[in-house]
Amino acid sequence: MEKPGLQRQDIGLAIIGAGRIGTMRATLATSHAAVRMIGVADLNETAATTLAEKSGASIVGTDSREIISHPAINAVVVSTGEHQHVEPVLQALEMGKHVLVEKPIALKLEDADKLIAAAAQSSGSLHVGYSRRFKRRYLTVKEQISLGRLGSVSGLSARIYNSRAQVFQMLKRDPHATPVVDSLTYFVDMLGWWVPDNPAVEVWARGKGGTIRKAGFDCDDVTYAVVTLADGALVNFSCSFALPDKYPSLGYCARIEVIGTEGVLMIDDDHLDQIMYTERGIPHIYVPDLTVNMAFLSSSAPGDWVGGEFWGPLASETRNWLDFVATGRPCALATAREARSNLAITLAIEEAVASGKTVRLSETAVAR
Ligand SMILES: NC(=O)c1ccc[n+]([C@@H]2O[C@H](COP(=O)([O-])OP(=O)(O)OC[C@H]3O[C@@H](n4cnc5c(N)ncnc54)[C@H](O)[C@@H]3O)[C@@H](O)[C@H]2O)c1
């Protein structure tokens, strides 16, 4: 984490990508005290103008470079689809702006390297939005492990479920945005964030195809991986985003267990503690035109709209990053290096599934 500074600077914020997440970030930014103006760019003119109207943006267009280069813009959120992150991030860093890009940083390690190099040359900064970090139950794990209350972590398991309705949205946008690279990555990120001094060195994984493949996507229904850390600690990641369309999850359902030499910590993040059933239907926050009758209410990953305001991990994350830009206070978002390490591990899981072989990770691949 960076040290707090004393500056107070106004923010001119560009939102590049006016889709679901860009809309949430822009809405949150409108009420931040330091944000004085907003600009919006989207390749889709209607999406750009709709968000510009909603967020009171004073500059709007389809060309990201034009919006980012406006002299009043000093901060840029890149909320484009996964394969469209690199170009606008490079543009913004070359112009010395502060950048928040959505996870995953990129889909190829070469592209992640390009962004890390550009950030090192830039007078701006680069952070990556792994908003799970900002869910209170995960923040508290960070604190307890940092304080040493579990002793040394010797094992961790993380299991995540979601409905296939959401994975189809992700894969339609980008066939490489698989549940492993695009979603399990949040839990890979938390592993590295919780135990930063114990990098992953080896990955074993297997996958089983089924429903998602039948729908025409090159993606397994179930993936199980075992990741070995440098000191021999074992991590079991498992994920399935093939649960039925109307499974009550509106996002991630997770179960995490951390075993330490002096304690154990269990997180029930399945959201079974808040269930609603209604004949009127509940709209899915991420999947247009999908309503469910039964929902685990707090399971939406970014958070929830309440009375026109957005609340939840994505709200806390956006605020933390805007505070960092405005005042220099510590920023808990993932660094570009951490995001690169997450990408290396998730790609290694996919490689291990495809090859049936164990994949060794080099020290440089996972340096954080
Ligand atoms: N933190 C979270 O909770 C969370 C949740 C879901 C998705 N995400 C991430 O957010 C990102 C966006 O996801 P989404 O669901 O909002 O996608 P989306 O498809 O709803 O929106 C993406 C928008 O970007 C626009 N776009 C693409 N390339 C562009 C370019 N070069 N310049 C300007 N606009 C461009 C598209 O036209 C589209 O409107 C992804 O990286 C995704 O992984 C984060």
Side-chain angles (χ1 to χ4, degrees):
M1 289 197 184
E2 292 90 334
K3 283 198 175 142
L6 295 172
Q7 90 248 14
R8 299 266 160 191
Q9 70 168 341
D10 290 346
I11 297 176
L13 179 70
I15 302 284
I16 311 301
R20 284 164 281 215
I21 301 302
T23 297
M24 291 171 193
R25 301 263 191 215
T27 310
L28 290 159
T30 54
S31 58
H32 191 277
V35 175
R36 299 279 175 235
M37 70 148 331
I38 291 182
V40 174
D42 196 296
L43 295 177
N44 176 330
E45 197 173 351
T46 311
T49 48
T50 304
L51 181 56
E53 275 164 29
K54 197 171 173 184
S55 61
S58 50
I59 48 170
V60 57
T62 53
D63 180 355
S64 56
R65 182 177 286 280
E66 196 183 308
I67 301 299
I68 295 169
S69 61
H70 189 284
I73 295 290
N74 54 5
V76 179
V77 169
V78 176
S79 293
T80 55
E82 292 77 359
H83 59 296
Q84 295 148 318
H85 288 168
V86 178
E87 195 189 334
V89 174
L90 282 177
Q91 289 169 353
L93 288 173
E94 278 159 16
M95 293 182 221
K97 320 257 165 159
H98 296 288
V99 182
L100 189 180
V101 62
E102 307 298 341
K103 59 77 213 170
I105 184 170
L107 290 169
K108 292 185 192 148
L109 292 175
E110 306 88 85
D111 284 337
D113 288 336
K114 251 191 242 171
L115 299 185
I116 290 170
Q121 296 296 313
S122 174
S123 56
S125 62
L126 177 59
H127 288 92
V128 185
Y130 276 91
S131 43
R132 292 279 82 185
R133 287 187 180 200
F134 287 84
K135 193 167 187 179
R136 192 167 151 202
R137 62 190 58 176
Y138 294 126
L139 276 165
T140 52
V141 175
K142 167 76 177 158
E143 182 70 357
Q144 297 309 319
I145 293 178
S146 303
L147 292 172
R149 297 210 170 111
L150 291 185
S152 156
V153 172
S154 42
L156 184 148
S157 72
R159 182 272 289 153
I160 56 165
Y161 289 154
N162 203 345
S163 74
R164 62 187 75 142
Q166 184 151 352
V167 85
F168 292 149
Q169 294 291 312
M170 292 152 52
L171 292 169
K172 265 188 236 159
R173 184 173 59 230
D174 188 319
H176 302 291
T178 61
V180 170
V181 171
D182 213 43
S183 298
L184 189 65
T185 189
Y186 282 120
F187 297 83
V188 170
D189 176 63
M190 284 192 288
L191 164 71
W193 181 51
W194 290 339
V195 282
D197 301 326
N198 201 4
V201 292
E202 189 185 86
V203 174
W204 174 96
R206 292 291 182 271
K208 168 84 176 71
T211 323
I212 301 175
R213 239 174 247 293
K214 274 193 201 127
F217 299 103
D218 182 18
C219 175
D220 286 325
D221 279 9
V222 175
T223 307
Y224 283 2
V226 175
V227 176
T228 308
L229 306 187
D231 74 349
L234 292 174
V235 179
N236 170 214
F237 288 119
S238 55
C239 98
S240 177
F241 274 35
L243 276 62
D245 275 345
K246 295 214 176 209
Y247 184 74
S249 160
L250 300 176
Y252 300 153
C253 292
R255 175 97 199 174
I256 317 287
E257 301 185 354
V258 188
I259 299 167
T261 50
E262 287 166 62
V264 61
L265 198 154
M266 295 172 190
I267 308 158
D268 179 352
D269 201 22
D270 268 324
H271 307 284
L272 303 175
D273 55 344
Q274 196 185 16
I275 301 175
M276 181 163 102
Y277 181 91
T278 167
E279 291 294 335
R280 295 194 168 195
I282 304 156
H284 194 288
I285 190 167
Y286 199 73
V287 184
D289 306 324
L290 177 70
T291 54
V292 293
N293 293 105
M294 187 186 281
F296 301 147
L297 275 188
S298 46
S299 58
S300 152
D304 295 281
W305 293 101
V306 180
E309 295 276 331
F310 195 80
W311 301 86
L314 193 112
S316 304
E317 178 184 63
T318 307
R319 202 172 304 118
N320 182 233
W321 180 72
L322 289 170
D323 288 350
F324 156 74
V325 175
T327 69
R329 65 162 286 200
C331 181
L333 278 77
T335 64
R337 279 204 170 280
E338 288 170 338
R340 198 241 190 235
S341 163
N342 300 335
L343 180 64
I345 295 168
T346 54
L347 291 177
I349 293 174
E350 300 226 307
E351 188 189 331
V353 171
S355 67
K357 293 183 180 152
T358 298
V359 176
R360 294 284 309 171
L361 289 157
S362 71
E363 248 174 64
T364 47
V366 289
R368 296 178 74 86

